[in-house]
Amino acid sequence: MKLRNNKTNPDSFNANSTDHPATFRPLTFLFVGIFLAAGLQACDDGGTVGSSFTPDESQVNTDTLKIPSTSEVSAPTFSGDEAHVSAGEYHDILFGFQKATALFQPALSYENLDTITSEANAYLELDIDEIYGNADATTAFTLYEITRRWRGRSWRPDSVAQINDFNPAGKAIYPDDEEDGVLTIPVADFWLDEFRDYFNDQDNDGYVENMFGFALKAEDAENIISFNVEDSRLVIDNQADTLGHTGFRSVAYSLEADRDTDFSKEETTLIFNTFENFMKLDFEINSEFIKADNISRAELVLYRDNDLLEQTLESNHQRNSADVLDAYLITSADLQLAIADEPVFQINYDEEKEAYRLNVTSFIRQHLMDDTEQAGRLHVITGNHYGKLLNTALFNHNSDEYFPRLLITSVDPD
């Protein structure tokens, strides 16, 4: 993944820019009314700033408001039953050492599998989504049987699975000579024999109480591989014309991390989607901070420290794509609990503008109209694909040039 340098200055508002509100000369009084209404109408919070229209006699005001303060916060979180799951280890020069263990519990499902014969063999087929670290490295994986019950919904990154490490249930190397983009791990007969008994007896209760799936580990690896859970499966080969398969009852990952590195910048905040460290935007939406009336457009802009990210990435190494930020509206008390709610916003990275940009017009207007004290502050974290390790670096309020900001457009009808 090639990250772009910050070669352009942060946006200064320009009323004549195609990316910012502009004035125009109306053709008729009717068109004036139509376009004025359109210019003042709030946009959906998910998009970026577009053009708005005001009549000749209106004054367009554009303001850049610096977010006055940011801080680094952390919170507990869960790491089970997400769309992805990760395994491997990698020492990132910027983000430190990370070691992920993936957990899989196959489902006792008959949707795509009728029976398991005594001649059958089995293998895990794990669809690879991204590789974090050395993309050219060969990674050896070992599959271990989990010996104690676990629950994906309550699993945390620091949870540790109990495993039988004396008798591995499978081994594999990626990449191998077979299909690229898939990690295939043959499963040991001793595990399949037990699984077969519960499956053919349709004893789901007994299976849940006695078989707990696999832990997938890599030792002395140079990368962490994330797998797409929906496209991964346990395949059963009954030595017949077709293959049967089943998905997973639950998945999760555990993470060991050492974040001590030689890199730190006062103006940059490191962001981890494990909620170990993310950014609080400390500002209150009120008339004292936002002095404009008749707001026609408001946009939140956050800048990524692309130079730092590039300079700390070795040749032929890569990081998972972190092109979306999740924004949560939470209080300090919420940080004591595991954050399991959906974010209030998702902020996309604009490659052309080299910034994360979010239209917050409706959000700002609503809070300006609300007479009660604002509940919570916006917190931002890398997101969108949980179960993968998504790390990035954002400029904070200490940056003289790339500080977080609100871009406000307002219309003075006088």
Side-chain angles (χ1 to χ4, degrees):
M1 176 180 65
K2 180 67 173 175
L3 295 171
R4 301 173 61 188
N5 288 322
N6 290 314
K7 296 179 180 177
T8 59
N9 290 329
D11 302 64
S12 57
F13 242 25
N14 180 354
N16 295 318
S17 169
T18 58
D19 294 301
H20 304 295
T23 60
F24 80 110
R25 183 174 300 277
L27 297 177
T28 67
F29 182 79
L30 175 62
F31 282 93
V32 171
I34 293 174
F35 285 119
L36 178 59
L40 294 177
Q41 182 179 3
C43 293
D44 293 336
D45 287 333
T48 57
V49 169
S51 298
S52 65
F53 302 92
T54 62
D56 250 1
E57 60 270 19
S58 297
Q59 176 67 41
V60 176
N61 299 314
T62 58
D63 297 293
T64 298
L65 304 181
K66 177 180 179 178
I67 303 300
S69 178
T70 64
S71 57
E72 299 182 17
V73 297
S74 62
T77 192
F78 299 110
S79 60
D81 292 342
E82 300 287 356
H84 300 85
V85 67
S86 299
E89 62 182 49
Y90 177 61
H91 185 272
D92 190 308
I93 296 175
L94 179 60
F95 298 106
F97 175 78
Q98 299 157 101
K99 181 176 182 178
T101 299
L103 279 61
F104 302 90
Q105 185 177 26
L108 203 69
S109 171
Y110 301 88
E111 182 178 356
N112 297 294
L113 181 63
D114 297 326
T115 188
I116 302 176
T117 67
S118 58
E119 294 81 18
N121 55 55
Y123 55 90
L124 285 181
E125 186 178 82
L126 305 179
D127 182 75
I128 294 175
D129 185 82
E130 280 193 282
I131 297 177
Y132 173 21
N134 186 349
D136 298 329
T138 298
T139 305
F141 288 97
T142 303
L143 201 64
Y144 298 97
E145 187 177 17
I146 299 175
T147 59
R148 184 173 180 177
R149 190 171 183 177
W150 57 280
R151 292 178 175 85
R153 290 184 179 181
S154 59
W155 198 260
R156 298 174 184 265
D158 59 354
S159 300
V160 178
Q162 293 191 10
I163 63 173
N164 176 7
D165 55 4
F166 295 104
N167 190 18
K171 291 180 178 291
I173 294 176
Y174 184 84
D176 57 18
D177 296 330
E178 302 298 326
E179 183 180 358
D180 190 31
V182 175
L183 174 63
T184 301
I185 311 172
V187 174
D189 289 340
F190 74 82
W191 186 92
L192 180 59
D193 290 343
E194 188 176 2
F195 182 76
R196 177 195 300 114
D197 291 341
Y198 288 112
F199 185 91
N200 290 339
D201 292 342
Q202 299 188 18
D203 184 6
N204 188 71
D205 291 341
Y207 171 70
V208 170
E209 290 297 325
N210 294 284
M211 294 191 74
F212 313 113
F214 306 106
L216 181 64
K217 291 188 173 186
E219 301 292 341
D220 300 322
E222 296 182 54
N223 55 40
I224 297 173
I225 299 179
S226 59
F227 306 100
N228 187 320
V229 175
E230 184 178 1
D231 294 330
S232 299
R233 64 200 68 196
L234 173 70
V235 178
I236 304 295
D237 184 357
N238 283 318
Q239 309 300 317
D241 293 335
T242 60
L243 300 174
H245 67 269
T246 183
F248 299 106
R249 182 174 181 269
S250 199
V251 299
Y253 76 89
S254 299
L255 180 67
E256 301 174 47
D258 182 355
R259 302 300 185 187
D260 290 336
T261 67
D262 295 330
F263 289 87
S264 64
K265 292 175 65 176
E266 184 182 9
E267 65 269 27
T268 302
T269 298
L270 301 185
I271 308 292
F272 303 91
N273 74 327
T274 55
F275 288 85
E276 294 170 73
N277 204 69
F278 57 111
M279 182 186 287
K280 175 184 177 183
L281 304 176
D282 199 359
F283 69 99
E284 187 167 356
I285 303 172
N286 54 33
S287 57
E288 182 178 348
F289 179 54
I290 301 175
K291 298 179 173 60
D293 295 322
N294 299 320
I295 294 175
S296 62
R297 197 78 62 181
E299 185 179 22
L300 175 66
V301 181
L302 303 169
Y303 292 95
R304 190 166 68 187
D305 192 343
N306 289 330
D307 288 337
L308 178 64
L309 290 167
E310 281 194 344
Q311 292 163 6
T312 55
L313 196 60
E314 298 179 56
S315 177
N316 297 324
H317 289 220
Q318 59 192 26
R319 297 188 178 103
N320 293 331
S321 301
D323 291 333
V324 176
L325 298 178
D326 283 346
Y328 294 86
L329 190 64
I330 54 179
T331 66
S332 297
D334 294 328
L335 296 175
Q336 307 305 312
L337 306 172
I339 299 174
D341 294 336
E342 293 296 318
V344 293
F345 301 118
Q346 286 195 319
I347 312 173
N348 293 310
Y349 189 76
D350 187 325
E351 291 287 349
E352 181 179 352
K353 301 294 184 180
E354 295 186 319
Y356 295 95
R357 301 167 73 95
L358 176 71
N359 187 320
V360 289
T361 309
S362 297
F363 179 73
I364 295 294
R365 283 180 172 178
Q366 181 61 43
H367 281 79
L368 286 175
M369 290 187 296
D370 194 344
D371 293 333
T372 61
E373 183 178 352
Q374 181 180 332
R377 297 288 187 268
L378 282 175
H379 295 65
V380 293
I381 188 170
T382 45
N384 198 39
H385 294 295
Y386 290 97
K388 298 163 62 173
L389 300 182
L390 304 174
N391 308 327
T392 194
L394 297 180
F395 285 105
N396 56 43
H397 71 283
N398 293 311
S399 173
D400 294 331
E401 189 175 8
Y402 294 101
F403 53 83
R405 66 199 62 196
L406 285 174
L407 305 180
I408 303 292
T409 302
S410 60
V411 179
D412 183 356
D414 298 330

